[in-house]
Amino acid sequence: MKNSFKFAVAAVAATLACGTFAQDFPAKDRPITIVVPFAAGGPTDRVARDLAEALRKPMGGANVVIDNAVGAGSSIGTAKVARATPDGYTLLLNHIAMATMPALYRKLSFNVANDFEYLGILNDVPMTLIARPTIPANNYKELTTWIAQNKGKVNLGNAGLGAASHLCGLMFQNAIQTEMTTISYKGTAPAMTDLIGGQIDLMCDQTTNTTSQIEGKKVKAFAVTTSKRLTTPSLKDLPTLAEAGVPNFEVTIWHGLYAPKGTPAPVLAKINEAVKAALKDPEFIKKQEGLGAVVAADKRIEPAEHKKFVQAEMDKWGAVIKAAGTYAD
Protein backbone atom coordinates (compact mmCIF):
# COMPACT_ATOMS: atom_id res chain seq x y z
CA MET A 1 0.00 0.00 0.00
CA LYS A 2 2.81 2.40 0.92
CA ASN A 3 4.60 1.71 -2.39
CA SER A 4 1.38 2.28 -4.35
CA PHE A 5 0.89 5.60 -2.53
CA LYS A 6 4.46 6.64 -3.30
CA PHE A 7 4.04 5.80 -6.98
CA ALA A 8 0.78 7.75 -7.12
CA VAL A 9 2.40 10.79 -5.48
CA ALA A 10 5.36 10.55 -7.86
CA ALA A 11 3.04 10.36 -10.87
CA VAL A 12 1.07 13.42 -9.74
CA ALA A 13 4.28 15.33 -9.07
CA ALA A 14 5.63 14.45 -12.51
CA THR A 15 2.39 15.54 -14.16
CA LEU A 16 2.40 18.86 -12.30
CA ALA A 17 6.07 19.42 -13.12
CA CYS A 18 5.42 18.71 -16.78
CA GLY A 19 2.49 21.12 -16.80
CA THR A 20 4.53 23.85 -15.13
CA PHE A 21 7.41 23.26 -17.54
CA ALA A 22 5.04 23.53 -20.51
CA GLN A 23 3.57 26.78 -19.17
CA ASP A 24 7.07 28.24 -18.88
CA PHE A 25 8.11 26.96 -22.34
CA PRO A 26 9.87 28.56 -24.05
CA ALA A 27 11.94 30.40 -21.48
CA LYS A 28 12.81 33.94 -22.57
CA ASP A 29 16.50 33.49 -21.82
CA ARG A 30 16.92 30.19 -23.65
CA PRO A 31 17.04 29.82 -27.45
CA ILE A 32 15.30 27.08 -29.42
CA THR A 33 17.76 25.41 -31.77
CA ILE A 34 16.66 23.94 -35.08
CA VAL A 35 19.28 21.46 -36.28
CA VAL A 36 19.61 21.40 -40.07
CA PRO A 37 21.60 18.37 -41.28
CA PHE A 38 22.71 20.15 -44.47
CA ALA A 39 25.04 23.00 -45.35
CA ALA A 40 24.19 26.65 -44.79
CA GLY A 41 22.78 28.33 -47.88
CA GLY A 42 21.22 25.19 -49.34
CA PRO A 43 17.47 24.69 -49.96
CA THR A 44 16.76 22.98 -46.62
CA ASP A 45 18.77 25.57 -44.70
CA ARG A 46 16.76 28.35 -46.35
CA VAL A 47 13.48 26.68 -45.38
CA ALA A 48 14.73 26.39 -41.80
CA ARG A 49 15.77 30.05 -41.58
CA ASP A 50 12.44 31.20 -42.98
CA LEU A 51 10.64 28.98 -40.46
CA ALA A 52 12.78 30.24 -37.57
CA GLU A 53 11.75 33.80 -38.36
CA ALA A 54 8.07 32.85 -38.69
CA LEU A 55 8.10 30.91 -35.40
CA ARG A 56 9.34 33.77 -33.23
CA LYS A 57 6.03 35.58 -32.90
CA PRO A 58 3.78 32.55 -32.15
CA MET A 59 6.47 31.28 -29.74
CA GLY A 60 6.21 34.46 -27.67
CA GLY A 61 9.26 36.17 -29.11
CA ALA A 62 11.58 33.22 -28.52
CA ASN A 63 15.03 33.30 -30.09
CA VAL A 64 15.10 30.51 -32.70
CA VAL A 65 18.57 29.70 -34.04
CA ILE A 66 19.93 27.35 -36.70
CA ASP A 67 22.64 24.73 -36.17
CA ASN A 68 24.03 23.20 -39.38
CA ALA A 69 25.22 19.71 -38.45
CA VAL A 70 26.36 18.42 -41.82
CA GLY A 71 27.39 15.01 -43.12
CA ALA A 72 26.57 11.41 -44.05
CA GLY A 73 23.43 12.15 -46.01
CA SER A 74 21.90 14.09 -43.08
CA SER A 75 22.33 11.19 -40.63
CA ILE A 76 24.87 13.08 -38.46
CA GLY A 77 22.53 15.98 -37.69
CA THR A 78 19.56 13.63 -37.30
CA ALA A 79 21.47 11.49 -34.80
CA LYS A 80 22.39 14.64 -32.86
CA VAL A 81 18.73 15.45 -32.30
CA ALA A 82 17.85 11.85 -31.46
CA ARG A 83 20.39 12.07 -28.60
CA ALA A 84 19.35 15.55 -27.44
CA THR A 85 17.53 16.30 -24.19
CA PRO A 86 13.79 15.96 -24.91
CA ASP A 87 12.72 19.37 -23.64
CA GLY A 88 11.61 21.17 -26.80
CA TYR A 89 14.73 23.31 -27.09
CA THR A 90 16.38 21.12 -29.75
CA LEU A 91 14.44 20.37 -32.92
CA LEU A 92 15.26 18.82 -36.29
CA LEU A 93 14.26 20.08 -39.72
CA ASN A 94 14.90 17.46 -42.38
CA HIS A 95 13.54 16.56 -45.78
CA ILE A 96 12.74 13.31 -47.60
CA ALA A 97 15.94 11.84 -46.14
CA MET A 98 13.87 10.86 -43.08
CA ALA A 99 12.14 8.33 -45.32
CA THR A 100 15.18 7.18 -47.30
CA MET A 101 17.89 6.85 -44.63
CA PRO A 102 16.48 3.58 -43.22
CA ALA A 103 16.98 1.97 -46.65
CA LEU A 104 20.16 3.77 -47.75
CA TYR A 105 21.99 3.12 -44.47
CA ARG A 106 21.89 -0.42 -43.17
CA LYS A 107 23.41 0.71 -39.85
CA LEU A 108 21.94 3.80 -38.19
CA SER A 109 22.36 4.91 -34.58
CA PHE A 110 18.69 5.96 -34.46
CA ASN A 111 15.29 4.70 -35.53
CA VAL A 112 13.31 7.18 -37.62
CA ALA A 113 9.95 5.75 -36.58
CA ASN A 114 10.63 5.40 -32.85
CA ASP A 115 13.24 7.97 -31.80
CA PHE A 116 11.41 11.17 -32.76
CA GLU A 117 8.25 13.11 -32.06
CA TYR A 118 6.62 14.33 -35.27
CA LEU A 119 5.60 17.99 -35.42
CA GLY A 120 4.22 18.47 -38.92
CA ILE A 121 5.11 18.66 -42.61
CA LEU A 122 6.12 22.18 -43.67
CA ASN A 123 6.21 22.24 -47.47
CA ASP A 124 6.61 20.34 -50.72
CA VAL A 125 9.21 21.18 -53.37
CA PRO A 126 8.59 19.93 -56.94
CA MET A 127 11.30 18.34 -59.09
CA THR A 128 12.16 18.92 -62.74
CA LEU A 129 13.74 16.63 -65.32
CA ILE A 130 16.44 18.66 -67.06
CA ALA A 131 19.24 18.05 -69.56
CA ARG A 132 22.37 19.64 -70.99
CA PRO A 133 21.57 22.48 -73.40
CA THR A 134 23.12 20.65 -76.38
CA ILE A 135 21.00 17.51 -76.10
CA PRO A 136 19.25 16.84 -79.47
CA ALA A 137 15.71 16.76 -78.06
CA ASN A 138 13.15 19.50 -77.55
CA ASN A 139 10.32 17.66 -75.78
CA TYR A 140 9.87 14.58 -73.62
CA LYS A 141 8.94 12.30 -76.53
CA GLU A 142 12.10 13.27 -78.40
CA LEU A 143 14.11 12.78 -75.21
CA THR A 144 12.87 9.20 -74.73
CA THR A 145 13.70 8.45 -78.38
CA TRP A 146 17.22 9.81 -77.85
CA ILE A 147 17.65 7.77 -74.64
CA ALA A 148 16.56 4.61 -76.48
CA GLN A 149 18.97 5.29 -79.35
CA ASN A 150 21.84 5.81 -76.91
CA LYS A 151 21.13 2.97 -74.49
CA GLY A 152 24.16 2.28 -72.32
CA LYS A 153 25.73 5.66 -73.12
CA VAL A 154 23.43 8.04 -71.23
CA ASN A 155 24.66 9.44 -67.91
CA LEU A 156 22.62 10.94 -65.10
CA GLY A 157 24.14 13.34 -62.58
CA ASN A 158 23.15 13.94 -58.97
CA ALA A 159 24.26 15.95 -55.95
CA GLY A 160 25.45 12.91 -54.00
CA LEU A 161 24.27 9.59 -52.63
CA GLY A 162 20.91 10.08 -50.90
CA ALA A 163 20.40 13.58 -52.32
CA ALA A 164 17.02 14.50 -53.76
CA SER A 165 18.47 14.41 -57.27
CA HIS A 166 19.88 10.92 -56.64
CA LEU A 167 16.54 9.58 -55.42
CA CYS A 168 14.57 11.13 -58.27
CA GLY A 169 17.09 9.72 -60.76
CA LEU A 170 16.74 6.23 -59.28
CA MET A 171 12.97 6.40 -59.53
CA PHE A 172 13.10 7.72 -63.12
CA GLN A 173 15.38 4.89 -64.27
CA ASN A 174 13.13 2.39 -62.55
CA ALA A 175 10.00 3.91 -64.09
CA ILE A 176 11.27 3.85 -67.68
CA GLN A 177 13.12 0.54 -67.09
CA THR A 178 16.37 1.95 -68.44
CA GLU A 179 19.65 1.86 -66.57
CA MET A 180 21.93 4.86 -66.94
CA THR A 181 25.44 5.62 -65.74
CA THR A 182 24.99 7.51 -62.48
CA ILE A 183 27.54 10.20 -61.63
CA SER A 184 27.50 11.52 -58.06
CA TYR A 185 28.91 14.92 -57.14
CA LYS A 186 29.60 16.62 -53.83
CA GLY A 187 26.64 18.95 -53.98
CA THR A 188 24.25 20.41 -56.53
CA ALA A 189 26.53 23.24 -57.70
CA PRO A 190 29.26 21.08 -59.33
CA ALA A 191 26.62 18.76 -60.82
CA MET A 192 24.76 21.71 -62.35
CA THR A 193 28.01 23.20 -63.65
CA ASP A 194 28.83 19.99 -65.50
CA LEU A 195 25.29 19.67 -66.83
CA ILE A 196 25.40 23.22 -68.22
CA GLY A 197 28.85 22.50 -69.65
CA GLY A 198 27.66 19.30 -71.34
CA GLN A 199 29.80 16.87 -69.30
CA ILE A 200 26.68 15.00 -68.15
CA ASP A 201 23.39 14.41 -69.97
CA LEU A 202 20.52 14.50 -67.49
CA MET A 203 19.58 15.45 -63.95
CA CYS A 204 16.38 15.45 -61.91
CA ASP A 205 16.45 18.14 -59.21
CA GLN A 206 14.39 20.52 -57.10
CA THR A 207 12.84 23.66 -58.56
CA THR A 208 14.79 25.58 -55.91
CA ASN A 209 17.93 24.63 -57.85
CA THR A 210 16.67 24.45 -61.45
CA THR A 211 14.19 27.28 -62.07
CA SER A 212 16.76 30.03 -62.60
CA GLN A 213 18.79 27.76 -64.90
CA ILE A 214 15.68 26.96 -66.94
CA GLU A 215 14.72 30.65 -67.12
CA GLY A 216 18.23 31.52 -68.29
CA LYS A 217 18.06 28.75 -70.93
CA LYS A 218 21.24 27.25 -69.53
CA VAL A 219 19.58 23.81 -69.43
CA LYS A 220 16.70 22.16 -71.26
CA ALA A 221 13.64 21.19 -69.22
CA PHE A 222 11.34 18.32 -70.17
CA ALA A 223 8.89 17.58 -67.36
CA VAL A 224 7.92 18.10 -63.73
CA THR A 225 7.45 15.34 -61.18
CA THR A 226 4.21 16.58 -59.61
CA SER A 227 0.70 15.23 -60.19
CA LYS A 228 -0.38 18.59 -61.65
CA ARG A 229 1.39 21.16 -63.77
CA LEU A 230 3.12 23.98 -61.92
CA THR A 231 1.96 27.60 -62.03
CA THR A 232 5.44 29.17 -62.03
CA PRO A 233 5.59 31.19 -65.31
CA SER A 234 8.78 29.58 -66.58
CA LEU A 235 7.58 26.06 -65.71
CA LYS A 236 3.84 26.18 -66.43
CA ASP A 237 4.17 24.73 -69.95
CA LEU A 238 6.14 21.69 -68.81
CA PRO A 239 4.09 18.46 -68.77
CA THR A 240 4.01 16.22 -65.74
CA LEU A 241 5.86 12.94 -66.23
CA ALA A 242 2.51 11.20 -65.84
CA GLU A 243 1.15 13.28 -68.76
CA ALA A 244 4.28 12.50 -70.76
CA GLY A 245 3.70 8.76 -70.44
CA VAL A 246 5.29 7.70 -67.14
CA PRO A 247 2.28 6.62 -65.04
CA ASN A 248 2.11 7.12 -61.27
CA PHE A 249 5.35 9.12 -61.19
CA GLU A 250 5.19 11.70 -58.43
CA VAL A 251 8.17 12.98 -56.46
CA THR A 252 8.22 16.03 -54.22
CA ILE A 253 10.86 16.92 -51.67
CA TRP A 254 8.98 17.62 -48.46
CA HIS A 255 10.35 19.08 -45.23
CA GLY A 256 9.19 18.22 -41.73
CA LEU A 257 9.92 19.24 -38.14
CA TYR A 258 10.83 16.78 -35.37
CA ALA A 259 11.70 16.67 -31.65
CA PRO A 260 13.54 14.01 -29.63
CA LYS A 261 11.39 11.15 -28.39
CA GLY A 262 10.01 11.81 -24.92
CA THR A 263 9.52 15.55 -25.30
CA PRO A 264 6.54 16.42 -23.01
CA ALA A 265 3.19 16.36 -24.80
CA PRO A 266 2.20 19.89 -23.70
CA VAL A 267 5.48 21.23 -25.15
CA LEU A 268 4.90 19.36 -28.40
CA ALA A 269 1.40 20.82 -28.59
CA LYS A 270 2.80 24.35 -28.15
CA ILE A 271 5.36 23.84 -30.90
CA ASN A 272 2.82 22.31 -33.28
CA GLU A 273 0.43 25.23 -32.76
CA ALA A 274 3.28 27.65 -33.44
CA VAL A 275 4.17 25.73 -36.61
CA LYS A 276 0.56 25.96 -37.82
CA ALA A 277 0.64 29.71 -37.24
CA ALA A 278 3.96 30.01 -39.09
CA LEU A 279 2.59 28.12 -42.10
CA LYS A 280 -0.15 30.76 -42.40
CA ASP A 281 2.27 33.68 -42.11
CA PRO A 282 2.04 35.65 -45.41
CA GLU A 283 5.75 36.47 -45.35
CA PHE A 284 6.71 32.81 -44.83
CA ILE A 285 4.39 31.75 -47.67
CA LYS A 286 5.87 34.41 -49.96
CA LYS A 287 9.42 33.30 -49.21
CA GLN A 288 8.55 29.64 -49.84
CA GLU A 289 6.87 30.47 -53.13
CA GLY A 290 10.07 32.28 -54.06
CA LEU A 291 11.90 28.98 -53.57
CA GLY A 292 9.38 27.16 -55.76
CA ALA A 293 7.94 25.42 -52.69
CA VAL A 294 4.29 24.87 -51.78
CA VAL A 295 3.51 25.45 -48.09
CA ALA A 296 1.69 22.53 -46.46
CA ALA A 297 -1.99 23.14 -45.77
CA ASP A 298 -3.33 19.59 -45.51
CA LYS A 299 -3.74 17.07 -42.71
CA ARG A 300 0.01 16.32 -42.68
CA ILE A 301 0.52 19.39 -40.47
CA GLU A 302 -0.93 17.20 -37.69
CA PRO A 303 1.71 15.06 -35.90
CA ALA A 304 -0.08 11.72 -36.35
CA GLU A 305 -0.67 12.33 -40.05
CA HIS A 306 2.92 13.51 -40.47
CA LYS A 307 4.19 10.23 -39.05
CA LYS A 308 1.77 8.18 -41.17
CA PHE A 309 2.95 10.04 -44.28
CA VAL A 310 6.64 9.42 -43.52
CA GLN A 311 5.96 5.71 -43.03
CA ALA A 312 4.29 5.55 -46.45
CA GLU A 313 7.27 7.37 -47.97
CA MET A 314 9.64 4.92 -46.28
CA ASP A 315 7.78 2.04 -47.91
CA LYS A 316 7.85 3.72 -51.34
CA TRP A 317 11.50 4.72 -51.35
CA GLY A 318 12.66 1.54 -49.62
CA ALA A 319 11.42 -0.44 -52.62
CA VAL A 320 13.17 1.90 -55.08
CA ILE A 321 16.49 1.82 -53.21
CA LYS A 322 16.37 -1.93 -52.75
CA ALA A 323 15.69 -2.45 -56.47
CA ALA A 324 18.69 -0.26 -57.30
CA GLY A 325 20.92 -2.07 -54.80
CA THR A 326 22.60 1.21 -53.90
CA TYR A 327 23.60 1.79 -50.26
CA ALA A 328 25.50 4.48 -48.42
CA ASP A 329 27.36 2.12 -46.07
Side-chain angles (χ1 to χ4, degrees), residues 130-147:
I130 57 176
R132 57 182 167 85
T134 54
I135 207 161
N138 295 303
N139 56 53
Y140 183 77
K141 185 176 180 180
E142 291 180 4
L143 178 66
T144 55
T145 299
W146 179 83
I147 291 173

PDB file of all heavy atoms in Angstrom, residues 130-147:
ATOM      1  N   ILE A 130      15.712  17.719 -66.208  1.00  0.00           N
ATOM      2  CA  ILE A 130      16.436  18.661 -67.064  1.00  0.00           C
ATOM      3  C   ILE A 130      17.609  17.957 -67.759  1.00  0.00           C
ATOM      4  O   ILE A 130      18.009  16.856 -67.375  1.00  0.00           O
ATOM      5  CB  ILE A 130      16.957  19.878 -66.266  1.00  0.00           C
ATOM      6  CG1 ILE A 130      17.856  19.415 -65.106  1.00  0.00           C
ATOM      7  CG2 ILE A 130      15.794  20.711 -65.743  1.00  0.00           C
ATOM      8  CD1 ILE A 130      18.489  20.557 -64.313  1.00  0.00           C
ATOM      9  N   ALA A 131      18.141  18.635 -68.795  1.00  0.00           N
ATOM     10  CA  ALA A 131      19.242  18.052 -69.565  1.00  0.00           C
ATOM     11  C   ALA A 131      20.215  19.135 -70.000  1.00  0.00           C
ATOM     12  O   ALA A 131      19.912  20.331 -69.928  1.00  0.00           O
ATOM     13  CB  ALA A 131      18.688  17.327 -70.789  1.00  0.00           C
ATOM     14  N   ARG A 132      21.372  18.688 -70.473  1.00  0.00           N
ATOM     15  CA  ARG A 132      22.368  19.637 -70.989  1.00  0.00           C
ATOM     16  C   ARG A 132      21.752  20.411 -72.155  1.00  0.00           C
ATOM     17  O   ARG A 132      20.902  19.900 -72.896  1.00  0.00           O
ATOM     18  CB  ARG A 132      23.639  18.907 -71.414  1.00  0.00           C
ATOM     19  CG  ARG A 132      23.435  17.806 -72.450  1.00  0.00           C
ATOM     20  CD  ARG A 132      24.758  17.119 -72.776  1.00  0.00           C
ATOM     21  NE  ARG A 132      24.567  15.886 -73.514  1.00  0.00           N
ATOM     22  CZ  ARG A 132      24.422  15.791 -74.831  1.00  0.00           C
ATOM     23  NH1 ARG A 132      24.436  16.890 -75.585  1.00  0.00           N
ATOM     24  NH2 ARG A 132      24.272  14.614 -75.423  1.00  0.00           N
ATOM     25  N   PRO A 133      22.184  21.642 -72.362  1.00  0.00           N
ATOM     26  CA  PRO A 133      21.569  22.480 -73.403  1.00  0.00           C
ATOM     27  C   PRO A 133      21.781  21.978 -74.821  1.00  0.00           C
ATOM     28  O   PRO A 133      21.032  22.341 -75.733  1.00  0.00           O
ATOM     29  CB  PRO A 133      22.233  23.848 -73.189  1.00  0.00           C
ATOM     30  CG  PRO A 133      23.521  23.541 -72.499  1.00  0.00           C
ATOM     31  CD  PRO A 133      23.236  22.362 -71.629  1.00  0.00           C
ATOM     32  N   THR A 134      22.803  21.118 -75.031  1.00  0.00           N
ATOM     33  CA  THR A 134      23.119  20.647 -76.384  1.00  0.00           C
ATOM     34  C   THR A 134      22.459  19.318 -76.721  1.00  0.00           C
ATOM     35  O   THR A 134      22.696  18.762 -77.796  1.00  0.00           O
ATOM     36  CB  THR A 134      24.643  20.496 -76.533  1.00  0.00           C
ATOM     37  OG1 THR A 134      25.144  19.648 -75.469  1.00  0.00           O
ATOM     38  CG2 THR A 134      25.336  21.853 -76.464  1.00  0.00           C
ATOM     39  N   ILE A 135      21.630  18.800 -75.833  1.00  0.00           N
ATOM     40  CA  ILE A 135      20.998  17.508 -76.104  1.00  0.00           C
ATOM     41  C   ILE A 135      20.040  17.650 -77.302  1.00  0.00           C
ATOM     42  O   ILE A 135      19.311  18.632 -77.412  1.00  0.00           O
ATOM     43  CB  ILE A 135      20.261  16.981 -74.845  1.00  0.00           C
ATOM     44  CG1 ILE A 135      20.201  15.461 -74.868  1.00  0.00           C
ATOM     45  CG2 ILE A 135      18.865  17.580 -74.696  1.00  0.00           C
ATOM     46  CD1 ILE A 135      19.914  14.835 -73.515  1.00  0.00           C
ATOM     47  N   PRO A 136      20.061  16.716 -78.253  1.00  0.00           N
ATOM     48  CA  PRO A 136      19.250  16.843 -79.471  1.00  0.00           C
ATOM     49  C   PRO A 136      17.794  16.405 -79.264  1.00  0.00           C
ATOM     50  O   PRO A 136      17.293  15.501 -79.937  1.00  0.00           O
ATOM     51  CB  PRO A 136      19.979  15.922 -80.456  1.00  0.00           C
ATOM     52  CG  PRO A 136      20.558  14.856 -79.597  1.00  0.00           C
ATOM     53  CD  PRO A 136      20.966  15.552 -78.323  1.00  0.00           C
ATOM     54  N   ALA A 137      17.126  17.051 -78.336  1.00  0.00           N
ATOM     55  CA  ALA A 137      15.707  16.757 -78.056  1.00  0.00           C
ATOM     56  C   ALA A 137      15.069  18.032 -77.537  1.00  0.00           C
ATOM     57  O   ALA A 137      15.692  18.782 -76.781  1.00  0.00           O
ATOM     58  CB  ALA A 137      15.601  15.641 -77.025  1.00  0.00           C
ATOM     59  N   ASN A 138      13.831  18.267 -77.951  1.00  0.00           N
ATOM     60  CA  ASN A 138      13.145  19.498 -77.551  1.00  0.00           C
ATOM     61  C   ASN A 138      11.855  19.251 -76.783  1.00  0.00           C
ATOM     62  O   ASN A 138      11.209  20.211 -76.358  1.00  0.00           O
ATOM     63  CB  ASN A 138      12.854  20.356 -78.793  1.00  0.00           C
ATOM     64  CG  ASN A 138      14.138  20.842 -79.448  1.00  0.00           C
ATOM     65  OD1 ASN A 138      14.962  21.493 -78.811  1.00  0.00           O
ATOM     66  ND2 ASN A 138      14.329  20.490 -80.714  1.00  0.00           N
ATOM     67  N   ASN A 139      11.478  18.008 -76.600  1.00  0.00           N
ATOM     68  CA  ASN A 139      10.318  17.664 -75.783  1.00  0.00           C
ATOM     69  C   ASN A 139      10.534  16.266 -75.209  1.00  0.00           C
ATOM     70  O   ASN A 139      11.505  15.578 -75.579  1.00  0.00           O
ATOM     71  CB  ASN A 139       9.018  17.752 -76.583  1.00  0.00           C
ATOM     72  CG  ASN A 139       9.045  16.887 -77.838  1.00  0.00           C
ATOM     73  OD1 ASN A 139       9.337  15.698 -77.792  1.00  0.00           O
ATOM     74  ND2 ASN A 139       8.756  17.515 -78.981  1.00  0.00           N
ATOM     75  N   TYR A 140       9.650  15.858 -74.319  1.00  0.00           N
ATOM     76  CA  TYR A 140       9.872  14.582 -73.621  1.00  0.00           C
ATOM     77  C   TYR A 140       9.868  13.397 -74.578  1.00  0.00           C
ATOM     78  O   TYR A 140      10.676  12.473 -74.437  1.00  0.00           O
ATOM     79  CB  TYR A 140       8.828  14.380 -72.526  1.00  0.00           C
ATOM     80  CG  TYR A 140       9.073  13.108 -71.745  1.00  0.00           C
ATOM     81  CD1 TYR A 140      10.074  13.045 -70.780  1.00  0.00           C
ATOM     82  CD2 TYR A 140       8.345  11.951 -72.012  1.00  0.00           C
ATOM     83  CE1 TYR A 140      10.349  11.871 -70.091  1.00  0.00           C
ATOM     84  CE2 TYR A 140       8.592  10.778 -71.318  1.00  0.00           C
ATOM     85  CZ  TYR A 140       9.599  10.735 -70.369  1.00  0.00           C
ATOM     86  OH  TYR A 140       9.858   9.568 -69.701  1.00  0.00           O
ATOM     87  N   LYS A 141       9.002  13.407 -75.576  1.00  0.00           N
ATOM     88  CA  LYS A 141       8.944  12.296 -76.529  1.00  0.00           C
ATOM     89  C   LYS A 141      10.265  12.162 -77.273  1.00  0.00           C
ATOM     90  O   LYS A 141      10.796  11.058 -77.448  1.00  0.00           O
ATOM     91  CB  LYS A 141       7.799  12.514 -77.516  1.00  0.00           C
ATOM     92  CG  LYS A 141       7.581  11.340 -78.464  1.00  0.00           C
ATOM     93  CD  LYS A 141       6.377  11.567 -79.362  1.00  0.00           C
ATOM     94  CE  LYS A 141       6.177  10.373 -80.299  1.00  0.00           C
ATOM     95  NZ  LYS A 141       5.003  10.569 -81.191  1.00  0.00           N
ATOM     96  N   GLU A 142      10.810  13.295 -77.705  1.00  0.00           N
ATOM     97  CA  GLU A 142      12.097  13.268 -78.404  1.00  0.00           C
ATOM     98  C   GLU A 142      13.211  12.814 -77.466  1.00  0.00           C
ATOM     99  O   GLU A 142      14.155  12.129 -77.884  1.00  0.00           O
ATOM    100  CB  GLU A 142      12.420  14.658 -78.967  1.00  0.00           C
ATOM    101  CG  GLU A 142      11.514  15.073 -80.115  1.00  0.00           C
ATOM    102  CD  GLU A 142      11.856  16.454 -80.662  1.00  0.00           C
ATOM    103  OE1 GLU A 142      12.856  17.055 -80.201  1.00  0.00           O
ATOM    104  OE2 GLU A 142      11.125  16.946 -81.543  1.00  0.00           O
ATOM    105  N   LEU A 143      13.099  13.194 -76.190  1.00  0.00           N
ATOM    106  CA  LEU A 143      14.109  12.781 -75.205  1.00  0.00           C
ATOM    107  C   LEU A 143      14.118  11.265 -75.041  1.00  0.00           C
ATOM    108  O   LEU A 143      15.182  10.639 -75.019  1.00  0.00           O
ATOM    109  CB  LEU A 143      13.845  13.449 -73.856  1.00  0.00           C
ATOM    110  CG  LEU A 143      14.802  13.063 -72.725  1.00  0.00           C
ATOM    111  CD1 LEU A 143      16.215  13.559 -73.027  1.00  0.00           C
ATOM    112  CD2 LEU A 143      14.328  13.614 -71.376  1.00  0.00           C
ATOM    113  N   THR A 144      12.927  10.657 -74.917  1.00  0.00           N
ATOM    114  CA  THR A 144      12.865   9.197 -74.735  1.00  0.00           C
ATOM    115  C   THR A 144      13.403   8.476 -75.970  1.00  0.00           C
ATOM    116  O   THR A 144      14.036   7.421 -75.850  1.00  0.00           O
ATOM    117  CB  THR A 144      11.427   8.739 -74.440  1.00  0.00           C
ATOM    118  OG1 THR A 144      10.547   9.209 -75.471  1.00  0.00           O
ATOM    119  CG2 THR A 144      10.959   9.267 -73.100  1.00  0.00           C
ATOM    120  N   THR A 145      13.164   9.042 -77.142  1.00  0.00           N
ATOM    121  CA  THR A 145      13.702   8.450 -78.379  1.00  0.00           C
ATOM    122  C   THR A 145      15.224   8.506 -78.350  1.00  0.00           C
ATOM    123  O   THR A 145      15.911   7.518 -78.673  1.00  0.00           O
ATOM    124  CB  THR A 145      13.179   9.204 -79.612  1.00  0.00           C
ATOM    125  OG1 THR A 145      11.756   9.102 -79.650  1.00  0.00           O
ATOM    126  CG2 THR A 145      13.770   8.629 -80.899  1.00  0.00           C
ATOM    127  N   TRP A 146      15.767   9.654 -77.927  1.00  0.00           N
ATOM    128  CA  TRP A 146      17.223   9.809 -77.846  1.00  0.00           C
ATOM    129  C   TRP A 146      17.824   8.844 -76.826  1.00  0.00           C
ATOM    130  O   TRP A 146      18.873   8.236 -77.077  1.00  0.00           O
ATOM    131  CB  TRP A 146      17.558  11.261 -77.483  1.00  0.00           C
ATOM    132  CG  TRP A 146      19.034  11.509 -77.364  1.00  0.00           C
ATOM    133  CD1 TRP A 146      19.913  11.762 -78.379  1.00  0.00           C
ATOM    134  CD2 TRP A 146      19.800  11.491 -76.153  1.00  0.00           C
ATOM    135  NE1 TRP A 146      21.185  11.915 -77.885  1.00  0.00           N
ATOM    136  CE2 TRP A 146      21.142  11.747 -76.523  1.00  0.00           C
ATOM    137  CE3 TRP A 146      19.489  11.291 -74.819  1.00  0.00           C
ATOM    138  CZ2 TRP A 146      22.176  11.803 -75.590  1.00  0.00           C
ATOM    139  CZ3 TRP A 146      20.511  11.340 -73.873  1.00  0.00           C
ATOM    140  CH2 TRP A 146      21.839  11.589 -74.267  1.00  0.00           C
ATOM    141  N   ILE A 147      17.163   8.698 -75.676  1.00  0.00           N
ATOM    142  CA  ILE A 147      17.653   7.768 -74.643  1.00  0.00           C
ATOM    143  C   ILE A 147      17.685   6.344 -75.192  1.00  0.00           C
ATOM    144  O   ILE A 147      18.651   5.601 -74.994  1.00  0.00           O
ATOM    145  CB  ILE A 147      16.774   7.848 -73.377  1.00  0.00           C
ATOM    146  CG1 ILE A 147      16.979   9.191 -72.674  1.00  0.00           C
ATOM    147  CG2 ILE A 147      17.093   6.691 -72.429  1.00  0.00           C
ATOM    148  CD1 ILE A 147      16.021   9.429 -71.509  1.00  0.00           C
TER     149      ILE A 147
END
